[in-house]
PDB file of all heavy atoms in Angstrom:
ATOM      1  N   ASN B 629      -5.821  56.335  73.896  1.00 96.00           N
ATOM      2  CA  ASN B 629      -6.586  55.810  75.029  1.00 96.00           C
ATOM      3  C   ASN B 629      -7.493  56.886  75.627  1.00 96.00           C
ATOM      4  O   ASN B 629      -7.501  58.035  75.184  1.00 96.00           O
ATOM      5  CB  ASN B 629      -5.661  55.165  76.074  1.00 96.00           C
ATOM      6  CG  ASN B 629      -4.785  56.197  76.794  1.00 96.00           C
ATOM      7  OD1 ASN B 629      -5.085  57.392  76.783  1.00 96.00           O
ATOM      8  ND2 ASN B 629      -3.701  55.739  77.396  1.00 96.00           N
ATOM      9  N   ASP B 630      -8.268  56.520  76.645  1.00 95.00           N
ATOM     10  CA  ASP B 630      -9.248  57.506  77.132  1.00 95.00           C
ATOM     11  C   ASP B 630      -8.620  58.574  78.025  1.00 95.00           C
ATOM     12  O   ASP B 630      -9.297  59.465  78.512  1.00 95.00           O
ATOM     13  CB  ASP B 630     -10.455  56.822  77.804  1.00 95.00           C
ATOM     14  CG  ASP B 630     -10.007  55.831  78.851  1.00 95.00           C
ATOM     15  OD1 ASP B 630      -8.824  55.920  79.267  1.00 95.00           O
ATOM     16  OD2 ASP B 630     -10.821  54.967  79.253  1.00 95.00           O
ATOM     17  N   ARG B 631      -7.304  58.501  78.219  1.00 96.00           N
ATOM     18  CA  ARG B 631      -6.619  59.633  78.855  1.00 96.00           C
ATOM     19  C   ARG B 631      -5.910  60.503  77.816  1.00 96.00           C
ATOM     20  O   ARG B 631      -4.977  61.233  78.128  1.00 96.00           O
ATOM     21  CB  ARG B 631      -5.629  59.136  79.909  1.00 96.00           C
ATOM     22  CG  ARG B 631      -6.305  58.800  81.252  1.00 96.00           C
ATOM     23  CD  ARG B 631      -5.451  57.882  82.070  1.00 96.00           C
ATOM     24  NE  ARG B 631      -5.335  56.610  81.382  1.00 96.00           N
ATOM     25  CZ  ARG B 631      -4.267  55.806  81.448  1.00 96.00           C
ATOM     26  NH1 ARG B 631      -3.238  56.144  82.162  1.00 96.00           N
ATOM     27  NH2 ARG B 631      -4.248  54.665  80.790  1.00 96.00           N
ATOM     28  N   ASP B 632      -6.321  60.348  76.553  1.00 96.00           N
ATOM     29  CA  ASP B 632      -5.796  61.160  75.444  1.00 96.00           C
ATOM     30  C   ASP B 632      -4.361  60.837  75.035  1.00 96.00           C
ATOM     31  O   ASP B 632      -3.711  61.631  74.362  1.00 96.00           O
ATOM     32  CB  ASP B 632      -5.907  62.676  75.757  1.00 96.00           C
ATOM     33  CG  ASP B 632      -7.348  63.141  75.815  1.00 96.00           C
ATOM     34  OD1 ASP B 632      -8.217  62.424  75.282  1.00 96.00           O
ATOM     35  OD2 ASP B 632      -7.595  64.220  76.388  1.00 96.00           O
ATOM     36  N   GLN B 633      -3.868  59.686  75.497  1.00 97.00           N
ATOM     37  CA  GLN B 633      -2.481  59.350  75.157  1.00 97.00           C
ATOM     38  C   GLN B 633      -2.401  58.361  73.996  1.00 97.00           C
ATOM     39  O   GLN B 633      -3.277  57.508  73.840  1.00 97.00           O
ATOM     40  CB  GLN B 633      -1.790  58.694  76.353  1.00 97.00           C
ATOM     41  CG  GLN B 633      -1.590  59.629  77.524  1.00 97.00           C
ATOM     42  CD  GLN B 633      -1.249  58.832  78.765  1.00 97.00           C
ATOM     43  OE1 GLN B 633      -2.017  57.987  79.209  1.00 97.00           O
ATOM     44  NE2 GLN B 633      -0.068  59.093  79.305  1.00 97.00           N
ATOM     45  N   VAL B 634      -1.326  58.473  73.241  1.00 96.00           N
ATOM     46  CA  VAL B 634      -1.109  57.532  72.143  1.00 96.00           C
ATOM     47  C   VAL B 634      -0.804  56.159  72.720  1.00 96.00           C
ATOM     48  O   VAL B 634       0.040  56.000  73.594  1.00 96.00           O
ATOM     49  CB  VAL B 634       0.079  57.975  71.264  1.00 96.00           C
ATOM     50  CG1 VAL B 634       0.297  56.980  70.118  1.00 96.00           C
ATOM     51  CG2 VAL B 634      -0.141  59.372  70.722  1.00 96.00           C
ATOM     52  N   GLU B 635      -1.525  55.159  72.186  1.00 94.00           N
ATOM     53  CA  GLU B 635      -1.373  53.811  72.684  1.00 94.00           C
ATOM     54  C   GLU B 635      -0.687  52.945  71.623  1.00 94.00           C
ATOM     55  O   GLU B 635      -0.042  51.961  71.924  1.00 94.00           O
ATOM     56  CB  GLU B 635      -2.773  53.261  72.936  1.00 94.00           C
ATOM     57  CG  GLU B 635      -2.882  52.183  73.938  1.00 94.00           C
ATOM     58  CD  GLU B 635      -4.365  51.866  74.128  1.00 94.00           C
ATOM     59  OE1 GLU B 635      -5.001  51.344  73.190  1.00 94.00           O
ATOM     60  OE2 GLU B 635      -4.875  52.174  75.214  1.00 94.00           O
ATOM     61  N   MET B 636      -0.891  53.324  70.379  1.00 93.00           N
ATOM     62  CA  MET B 636      -0.281  52.589  69.274  1.00 93.00           C
ATOM     63  C   MET B 636      -0.067  53.560  68.124  1.00 93.00           C
ATOM     64  O   MET B 636      -0.918  54.421  67.871  1.00 93.00           O
ATOM     65  CB  MET B 636      -1.215  51.453  68.825  1.00 93.00           C
ATOM     66  CG  MET B 636      -0.660  50.467  67.820  1.00 93.00           C
ATOM     67  SD  MET B 636      -0.626  51.052  66.107  1.00 93.00           S
ATOM     68  CE  MET B 636      -2.364  51.289  65.790  1.00 93.00           C
ATOM     69  N   ALA B 637       1.081  53.447  67.462  1.00 93.00           N
ATOM     70  CA  ALA B 637       1.337  54.290  66.285  1.00 93.00           C
ATOM     71  C   ALA B 637       1.997  53.443  65.220  1.00 93.00           C
ATOM     72  O   ALA B 637       2.888  52.651  65.517  1.00 93.00           O
ATOM     73  CB  ALA B 637       2.240  55.465  66.650  1.00 93.00           C
ATOM     74  N   ASN B 638       1.543  53.593  63.991  1.00 92.00           N
ATOM     75  CA  ASN B 638       2.164  52.880  62.879  1.00 92.00           C
ATOM     76  C   ASN B 638       2.288  53.857  61.716  1.00 92.00           C
ATOM     77  O   ASN B 638       1.309  54.436  61.268  1.00 92.00           O
ATOM     78  CB  ASN B 638       1.295  51.681  62.466  1.00 92.00           C
ATOM     79  CG  ASN B 638       1.992  50.781  61.460  1.00 92.00           C
ATOM     80  OD1 ASN B 638       3.196  50.518  61.591  1.00 92.00           O
ATOM     81  ND2 ASN B 638       1.270  50.322  60.463  1.00 92.00           N
ATOM     82  N   LEU B 639       3.516  54.063  61.265  1.00 90.00           N
ATOM     83  CA  LEU B 639       3.744  55.012  60.179  1.00 90.00           C
ATOM     84  C   LEU B 639       4.381  54.288  59.001  1.00 90.00           C
ATOM     85  O   LEU B 639       5.377  53.595  59.178  1.00 90.00           O
ATOM     86  CB  LEU B 639       4.703  56.136  60.622  1.00 90.00           C
ATOM     87  CG  LEU B 639       4.449  56.782  61.981  1.00 90.00           C
ATOM     88  CD1 LEU B 639       5.599  57.725  62.343  1.00 90.00           C
ATOM     89  CD2 LEU B 639       3.146  57.574  61.960  1.00 90.00           C
ATOM     90  N   ILE B 640       3.797  54.423  57.819  1.00 88.00           N
ATOM     91  CA  ILE B 640       4.484  53.932  56.619  1.00 88.00           C
ATOM     92  C   ILE B 640       4.881  55.168  55.825  1.00 88.00           C
ATOM     93  O   ILE B 640       4.037  55.876  55.282  1.00 88.00           O
ATOM     94  CB  ILE B 640       3.603  52.997  55.768  1.00 88.00           C
ATOM     95  CG1 ILE B 640       3.064  51.837  56.624  1.00 88.00           C
ATOM     96  CG2 ILE B 640       4.417  52.436  54.593  1.00 88.00           C
ATOM     97  CD1 ILE B 640       2.142  50.882  55.873  1.00 88.00           C
TER      98      ILE B 640
END
Side-chain angles (χ1 to χ4, degrees):
Chain B
N629 69 19
D630 51 17
R631 279 160 295 149
D632 293 341
Q633 293 165 300
V634 180
E635 205 175 68
M636 188 282 297
N638 189 41
L639 314 172
I640 306 178

